[in-house]
Amino acid sequence: MATLKPSFTVSPPNTNPIRFGCFPPQCLVRVPKPPCLRRRLVLPRLRQTIGGGGGGGMIRCELPDFHLSATATTGVSTEKSVDEFQIPKGEMWSVHKFGGTCVGNSQRIRNVAEVIINDNSERKLVVVSAMSKVTDMMYDLIRKAQSRDDSYLSALEAVLEKHRLTARDLLDGDDLASFLSHLHNDISNLKAMLRAIYIAGHASESFSDFVAGHGELWSAQMLSYVVRKTGLECKWMDTRDVLIVNPTSSNQVDPDFGESEKRLDKWFSSNPSKIIIATGFIASTPQNIPTTLKRDGSDFSAAIMGALLRARQVTIWTDVDGVYSADPRKVNEAVILQTLSYQEAWEMSYFGANVLHPRTIIPVMRYNIPIVIRNIFNLSAPGTIICQPPEDDYDLKLTTPVKGFATIDNLALINVEGTGMAGVPGTASDIFGCVKDVGANVIMISQASSEHSVCFAVPEKEVKAVSEALRSRFSEALQAGRLSQIEVIPNCSILAAVGQKMASTPGVSCTLFSALAKANINVRAISQGCSEYNVTVVIKREDSVKALRAVHSRFFLSRTTLAVGIIGPGLIGATLLDQLRDQAAVLKQEFNIDLRVLGITGSKTMLLSDIGIDLSRWRELLNEKGTEANMDKFTQQVHGNHFIPNSVLVDCTADSIIASRYYDWLRKGIHVITPNKKANSGPLDQYLKLRDLQRKSYTHYFYEATVGAGLPIISTLRGLLETGDKILRIEGIFSGTLSYLFNNFVGDQSFSEVVAEAKNAGFTEPDPRDDLSGTDVARKVIILARESGLKLDLADLPIRSLVPEPLKGCASAEEFMEKLPLYDGDLAKERLDAENSGEVLRYVGVVDAINQKGTVELRRYKKEHPFAQLAGSDNIIAFTTTRYKDHPLIVRGPGAGAQVTAGGVFSDILRLASYLGAPS
């Protein structure tokens, strides 16, 4: 890319010019004669009135018209006539497009470079978007400058810093210096441009497009440097030099393929390369004014470049595995489609499916170039191919003629009806002429063969204008009775079934309407073209999701799903339910699983559902629709649903009676996940029986959160043992409460004061004796000892209780707290002795695998010891093994609290999903 060194000025008439610094190289091109190429850009005029009318001390100031111009000289050589040179075209080219999430940070840019390098195509053109969120940041700069918000300067600095940090992580030496030089130059130009917008209080579309397009420039440059570092030849392209588009009245643009092809040849004649990194989203008008390709612009850029190069394939890299058979946010069983025809992709995108914008498909259709949708974060997924497959092998693996379903919501149906319409030419023309006059968009049309009525769907926000226009146009017909009514039916949705094979498969419509009937959904209108690529129905808006799920489940087999029952919606259970609610999209996209909470039960009330509880309202539903708790009915509800092959019960209680049911649940094939310590620290014979059943069956029992909440304690221990390491000793501070107490038991503060402070802060149980007794730590020691192969019972552990013996019988927590200061002396003396020796007190649990025993005690540690350096309520566990003998393996972090404990349970749920077949 040639380097331009222009400047621009803002010159009010009859005044000296205001210089804003160096203007960026995206300007209009004029070619007077070689060897230099000069550009000139005329941007729209700005006018702004500041102040108010009236009298008093008001100041009225009108900024004069601004005329911005720039000239620049490039180093493009024209010694060889462009007319004599044409870029090679054909299947040697592959085109890739990487979206913002694909280049969201330095590591992802490296991943993109690796994908490019591993593509064995002879020639490659890569279209990149701006880094994730950068385009939004650029538009935010414009909004702030327009509203005269001075924070646009700090926001611009954030943009600079984001790219500067990314570049420093990716580049070095001359490459880094070159990029940072261009970056700072661009930022200076933007600052001047935004200042002009700030002064005027307005930004034209051209100004906005110019500012917004910089993110693509920077990401393309960085990626080209990264590819070049591998030793491959690579050039980057500012597509504003190549792509020429004509703006339309519908906020879209039409590519000028002829002019773009000429400019591509010209560009390539000066920049020959087998790898080209091109900017997405941005282009120029025929007048060489910078513009953008609007919605889905980078995808459109890739399709246009693919058509210009007659490429073998265009690959759209995104963050999903391909095109889904339905919106996965609404249909949990949605599957990735292996292939789509151009027409199918067009139909699905028209009806709201997140495939591609219809205009993206047009350029590649002309040359039958396949589009492949791939996931940059899951390279093993083959993605979805959009092409025109041969008729004889059209998706032989597909078992259903319907490829997918899509919906459009927030519509209204307008029904024009009357006997006077039949056989009258021009009626339909008059109807839709009215619709055109008000600028409304008709989504679907349906007409009875008797010509007695015509109905059509329009966006709900446009229905009032359409209705009024029709009543005005047909007022005489309505008065004369030739038209009986113009009816508006609000709150509608469209459901479309799409599939190229529907035309040759009998019974598709029958199956579709049968599924809707079984779901008790009424159809308001039907439309089907003679090509039979889609069947469209209009339904009530409130039935939209229900209808989508009903028809999808009828045509597609569901994937592996999990029926979930949550026991104990207290602090931990409630937090887990909220996490599941908030992470539904992650579960679907990252783990490809379908969790359906079919039951929630407490000790008194339970809530059951056949299809899955709405987790956004579970508290409200439990209060309003809860029934008397019955564990047998609850288990049957979760496990007895024959449509879901896998079921899991999540016990979030500390109840030993619930824990005693684990064996029976596992024996029935119900998976169990729990933070409840009672089963694994209970009677040894019951624990051994439970683990023996688990090992012999294919049912899973996970309990990571029993020891370290969200810390990977159990999994670390298992990893050591399974890889042949031998446990010598496990020592740790296992209680967040006791960690907090002894981390703060310093200076002149008494132990009772620290306990009272912790209780008031919510760091202890309602009765602090539950923490101070050491029983909870002892249970964790037992669990780790048993995991290590020791056969210990809780009664085998000596436990140092911090509850004074006389206070164990206190009738209430309040009485205990009132009397606790009387016993501060003993612990104060222990603390003083430790301090005099340069040590601190810590309450620890120990598993001594060599001597086959465990202890819970108050120990002293040197201040240099990791246990002495703990802060807050963190836990720390040290594993001493044959491999980690001299320097123990240490796990440290928050080991208590609802969020981290629920997170540990949540992690076990995801691990179960992975074991059941979901991608890990």
Side-chain angles (χ1 to χ4, degrees), residues 589-655:
Q589 295 172 10
E590 300 293 334
F591 298 93
N592 215 16
I593 62 175
D594 177 9
L595 287 182
R596 300 188 182 184
V597 179
L598 301 187
I600 301 171
T601 184
S603 59
K604 298 180 180 179
T605 308
M606 67 180 180
L607 175 66
L608 306 178
S609 171
D610 293 327
I611 60 174
I613 296 170
D614 180 0
L615 296 184
S616 66
R617 300 176 56 236
W618 71 265
R619 291 178 177 85
E620 176 186 343
L621 294 172
L622 184 62
N623 290 330
E624 293 178 357
K625 300 183 178 181
T627 59
E628 184 180 357
N630 183 303
M631 190 55 65
D632 291 332
K633 289 183 179 180
F634 179 83
T635 304
Q636 176 61 28
Q637 173 70 20
V638 176
H639 186 56
N641 190 319
H642 300 294
F643 299 102
I644 303 178
N646 299 297
S647 54
V648 56
L649 291 175
V650 182
D651 174 20
C652 296
T653 73
D655 195 311

Side-chain angles (χ1 to χ4, degrees), residues 364-380:
V364 295
M365 278 185 67
R366 296 173 60 182
Y367 302 102
N368 201 23
I369 300 170
I371 299 177
V372 182
I373 311 295
R374 294 283 306 276
N375 188 350
I376 187 66
F377 305 113
N378 184 14
L379 298 180
S380 62

Side-chain angles (χ1 to χ4, degrees), residues 50-52 55-61:
I50 305 172
M58 300 299 294
I59 299 174
R60 181 176 178 84
C61 169

Side-chain angles (χ1 to χ4, degrees), residues 235-247:
K235 299 285 180 67
W236 81 275
M237 173 195 291
D238 181 348
T239 49
R240 289 179 291 194
D241 295 333
V242 173
L243 295 187
I244 303 301
V245 297
N246 294 294

Side-chain angles (χ1 to χ4, degrees), residues 61 90 187 228 291 324 477 530 543 570 615 684 745 836:
C61 169
I187 293 295
R228 207 176 301 154
T291 187
Y324 283 91
C530 62
D543 290 336
L615 296 184
L684 180 61
F745 184 36
N836 290 336

Side-chain angles (χ1 to χ4, degrees), residues 612-732:
I613 296 170
D614 180 0
L615 296 184
S616 66
R617 300 176 56 236
W618 71 265
R619 291 178 177 85
E620 176 186 343
L621 294 172
L622 184 62
N623 290 330
E624 293 178 357
K625 300 183 178 181
T627 59
E628 184 180 357
N630 183 303
M631 190 55 65
D632 291 332
K633 289 183 179 180
F634 179 83
T635 304
Q636 176 61 28
Q637 173 70 20
V638 176
H639 186 56
N641 190 319
H642 300 294
F643 299 102
I644 303 178
N646 299 297
S647 54
V648 56
L649 291 175
V650 182
D651 174 20
C652 296
T653 73
D655 195 311
S656 58
I657 296 177
I658 299 296
S660 67
R661 291 176 172 264
Y662 293 177
Y663 183 86
D664 184 53
W665 291 340
L666 291 170
R667 188 172 54 83
K668 291 179 178 178
I670 305 172
H671 308 287
V672 177
I673 294 173
T674 184
N676 187 345
K677 293 178 278 290
K678 297 297 173 64
N680 285 14
S681 62
L684 180 61
D685 58 337
Q686 294 183 21
Y687 167 80
L688 294 175
K689 182 182 177 183
L690 186 65
R691 290 303 304 273
D692 184 60
L693 174 63
Q694 180 195 6
R695 293 187 184 99
K696 290 179 179 179
S697 69
Y698 289 97
T699 310
H700 299 287
Y701 172 42
F702 294 145
Y703 43 86
E704 180 70 75
T706 56
V707 175
L711 295 178
I713 306 301
I714 299 293
S715 56
T716 298
L717 176 56
R718 284 189 171 181
L720 294 170
L721 294 172
E722 290 170 0
T723 56
D725 205 352
K726 183 178 179 181
I727 302 298
L728 303 179
R729 183 182 180 88
I730 303 173
E731 185 173 356

Side-chain angles (χ1 to χ4, degrees), residues 13 43-47 65-67 202 204 207:
L43 292 178
R45 296 174 180 268
L46 301 174
R47 181 181 295 275
D65 290 340
F66 288 97
H67 184 269
H202 169 75
S204 68
F207 273 55

